[in-house]
Amino acid sequence: MLRIAVPNKGSLSGPAADMLHEAGYQQRRESKELRIVDPVNDVEFFYLRPRDIAIYVSSGQLDIGITGRDLLIDSGADAEEILPLGFARSTFRFASKPGTANGVEDLKGKTVATSYEGIVARHLADNGIDAAVVHLDGAVETAIELGVAEVIADVVETGTSLRNAGLEVFGEPIMKSEAVVIRRTGADADEAAESKVQQFLRRLQGVLVARTYVMMDYDCRVEQLEKAVALTPGLESPTVSPLHNEGWVAVRAMVPAKEAQRIMDDLYDIGARAILTTAIHACRL
């Protein structure tokens, strides 16, 4: 069986389970379950702490896992990202009291407090900066007030909590993170195992596409077909079928969901009618 690590809690857990369910895999019914077997798909899922998943995968005991890019890099584990999943996005930034620093080059000789020591140490080393890194397990905003560090590095969403603490972000982002599928670096699976891994990735990619696109159907006059097709080129090419009424055709194409309303307006303006969109639940490209 393909052995897969899945986050058991936190912001990664729910979206990961939803994506796996959409991809056709059985998921646990109770949060206390640490392991389930999906015999239909020949897969075994292990529900683990998100921070531990990269370690388990790098050991070779599990074939692949879902975790955050930040947790993968922070762990220093011998594992690599093989597919970004587009949820649990976050941005890591430096922050400090106003006037402390303007960029990473100003951190030489300073102390940085963070819950992600591996990420910060690597970023500083990549920029040739000699600074001390202090590891804290949360609430790093108080580190500056209590004199533990001059700078913090943390996930920044709106920046409200930082401003409330009298801090401001500075410099370029340290990194942008999201949920990813990981695998042990240089994993050398046999043909059967590799086939299962690729099938798993195709299923998740199918979910990603299904979430990004909708199917659009509409009718238009033949003389407006080229303009209509330019608006809805589809992935390969749209499907065009003649209608019973002479001079009209039916068109079907996949279009980006976020642009669907604008495309419908543009189609209507050139004379298309009966314009419909439907959700895509699964696909293979």
Side-chain angles (χ1 to χ4, degrees):
M1 283 189 169
L2 190 66
R3 294 157 65 88
I4 301 174
V6 183
N8 68 343
K9 59 182 179 180
S11 62
L12 291 165
S13 179
D18 291 342
M19 178 170 279
L20 290 169
H21 178 73
E22 289 179 49
Y25 293 102
Q26 179 182 330
Q27 288 298 286
R28 62 180 180 174
R29 297 181 179 178
E30 297 183 5
S31 60
K32 293 182 179 180
E33 292 182 278
L34 301 179
R35 170 185 169 274
I36 67 165
V37 174
D38 180 351
V40 174
N41 292 297
D42 203 26
V43 172
E44 190 173 11
F45 291 104
F46 294 82
Y47 296 87
L48 307 169
R49 290 180 69 246
R51 276 192 172 273
D52 296 337
I53 286 176
I55 303 299
Y56 281 107
V57 171
S58 69
S59 73
Q61 298 304 308
L62 299 178
D63 299 300
I64 50 181
I66 295 175
T67 189
R69 181 180 295 131
D70 54 345
L71 300 176
L72 167 63
I73 295 175
D74 194 59
S75 72
D78 190 20
E80 60 185 352
E81 173 184 333
I82 57 175
L83 179 67
L85 297 177
F87 62 85
R89 289 191 170 101
S90 60
T91 303
F92 285 78
R93 304 289 300 266
F94 288 117
S96 63
K97 293 285 187 181
T100 302
N102 294 315
V104 66
E105 65 277 1
D106 298 325
L107 298 183
K108 183 177 181 180
K110 289 183 169 56
T111 300
V112 182
T114 182
S115 298
Y116 296 84
E117 184 179 0
I119 292 174
V120 175
R122 175 175 171 174
H123 183 71
L124 292 172
D126 288 345
N127 285 276
I129 302 299
D130 183 14
V133 180
V134 175
H135 177 82
L136 297 176
D137 281 328
V140 296
E141 294 93 342
T142 60
I144 295 177
E145 181 181 352
L146 296 177
V148 173
E150 298 104 313
V151 176
I152 65 169
D154 201 9
V155 175
V156 177
E157 294 181 1
T158 63
T160 301
S161 61
L162 293 176
R163 287 192 294 272
N164 290 340
L167 307 178
E168 63 179 15
V169 298
F170 64 86
E172 295 297 318
I174 300 168
M175 71 169 295
K176 293 184 180 293
S177 181
E178 65 182 293
V180 296
V181 179
I182 66 170
R183 191 177 189 182
R184 182 166 59 89
T185 304
D188 187 19
D190 59 42
E191 186 174 345
E194 184 62 26
S195 176
K196 292 177 184 177
V197 169
Q198 294 306 315
Q199 181 188 68
F200 178 79
L201 295 177
R202 282 195 300 272
R203 286 195 182 192
L204 294 190
Q205 287 169 331
V207 172
L208 291 171
V209 172
R211 289 178 173 182
T212 306
Y213 288 84
V214 294
M215 188 65 73
M216 185 169 289
D217 294 88
Y218 59 90
D219 300 337
C220 76
R221 298 283 306 178
V222 171
E223 56 266 27
Q224 297 298 327
L225 181 59
E226 290 305 314
K227 291 182 179 179
V229 168
L231 293 170
T232 60
L235 296 185
E236 303 292 342
S237 177
T239 300
V240 180
S241 306
L243 294 178
H244 179 70
N245 289 342
E246 187 175 351
W248 284 82
V249 293
V251 183
R252 162 170 280 202
M254 289 173 63
V255 302
K258 64 182 181 181
E259 298 178 19
Q261 292 296 332
R262 177 190 59 78
I263 293 172
M264 293 174 77
D265 290 339
D266 291 344
L267 286 171
Y268 192 89
D269 287 344
I270 65 171
R273 295 295 182 264
I275 309 169
L276 307 172
T277 62
T278 52
I280 301 171
H281 296 291
C283 70
R284 296 290 184 276
L285 297 182

